[in-house]
Amino acid sequence: MTEEMTIISGEAYRTARELLDIAGLERGSILVVGCSTSEVAGASIGSFSSPELAEVVFGGIYQATQEMGVWLAAQCCEHLNRAIVLEKEAADAYGYEAVNVVPQPKAGGSFATVAYKAFEHPVTVEHIRAHAGLDIGDTLIGMHLKDVAVPVRIRTKEIGDAHVVCARTRPKFIGGSRAVYDENAM
């Protein structure tokens, strides 16, 4: 692995680990990740899909999720309508229905393709409601988060040349001005 790839893998790991620490996810929660390897490489989104770069980014993030007991969900690109790749066990646990598509670097994206190959029993689903999200390169993961997403500010602002945005979710506040809220759920 080149020095640049080692740096990118470390950035991916640190970013995921910091997000997971701040978000306070429980074991069995889902982290959705959208990643443009084109953006990581300094190109425009969708113009430079790189399976090799996807492997190092995925490896760093996957290590962090495995350490925390959190499911990793990989968002496909727009050509697969931003479908999600995750482990069958996670899909079954949350009641997500599998669809029949296998991502490829130019139809699904390199990150989702690498995830599909790395997972023990991968499935692709159309929709999830993840507990937190990591967007690498402005891939628009918001549709896959639970209803109330809260921005998470972390030290890492980029992985490679790609802009990084993080979010966690929280339960909705209901009941108006007389309601009392659980401070631990904010």
Side-chain angles (χ1 to χ4, degrees):
M1 186 180 319
T2 68
E3 182 179 345
E4 183 179 4
M5 294 290 213
T6 302
I7 290 168
I8 289 171
S9 178
E11 289 171 345
Y13 172 80
R14 284 188 303 279
T15 300
R17 189 59 197 243
E18 186 177 4
L19 170 59
L20 293 172
D21 287 342
I22 291 170
L25 299 185
E26 297 176 3
R27 293 183 74 75
S29 296
I30 297 175
L31 170 68
V32 63
V33 176
C35 175
S36 168
T37 57
S38 301
E39 293 280 334
V40 173
S44 295
I45 195 167
S47 67
F48 184 74
S49 190
S50 170
E52 298 79 20
L53 201 48
E55 285 180 18
V56 299
V57 174
F58 175 85
I61 296 168
Y62 194 52
Q63 179 183 347
T65 59
Q66 293 290 289
E67 290 171 1
M68 301 294 286
V70 171
W71 293 110
L72 175 57
Q75 178 182 268
C76 295
C77 72
E78 65 186 289
H79 297 101
L80 295 186
N81 298 326
R82 293 191 173 83
I84 297 291
V85 175
L86 73 164
E87 288 283 6
K88 183 180 185 314
E89 186 178 346
D92 290 346
Y94 285 95
Y96 300 139
E97 184 177 350
V99 295
N100 188 1
V101 69
V102 177
Q104 303 298 308
K106 294 287 186 181
S110 290
F111 188 81
T113 301
V114 167
Y116 197 92
K117 290 177 182 175
F119 290 157
E120 190 172 336
H121 300 289
V123 295
T124 306
V125 301
E126 287 187 281
H127 306 285
I128 65 169
R129 294 173 40 82
H131 303 89
L134 172 56
D135 188 321
I136 305 165
D138 303 317
T139 61
L140 304 175
I141 59 163
M143 67 175 66
H144 297 301
L145 294 172
K146 289 183 167 216
D147 286 344
V148 184
V150 179
V152 174
R153 304 286 183 233
I154 61 171
R155 289 185 300 272
T156 304
K157 304 296 183 211
E158 294 180 332
I159 295 176
D161 287 337
H163 178 240
V164 172
V165 176
C166 299
R168 65 176 178 83
T169 61
R170 65 158 175 77
K172 295 177 183 180
F173 294 153
I174 62 168
S177 61
R178 291 193 239 176
V180 176
Y181 300 111
D182 179 354
E183 293 291 324
N184 294 321
M186 295 184 160

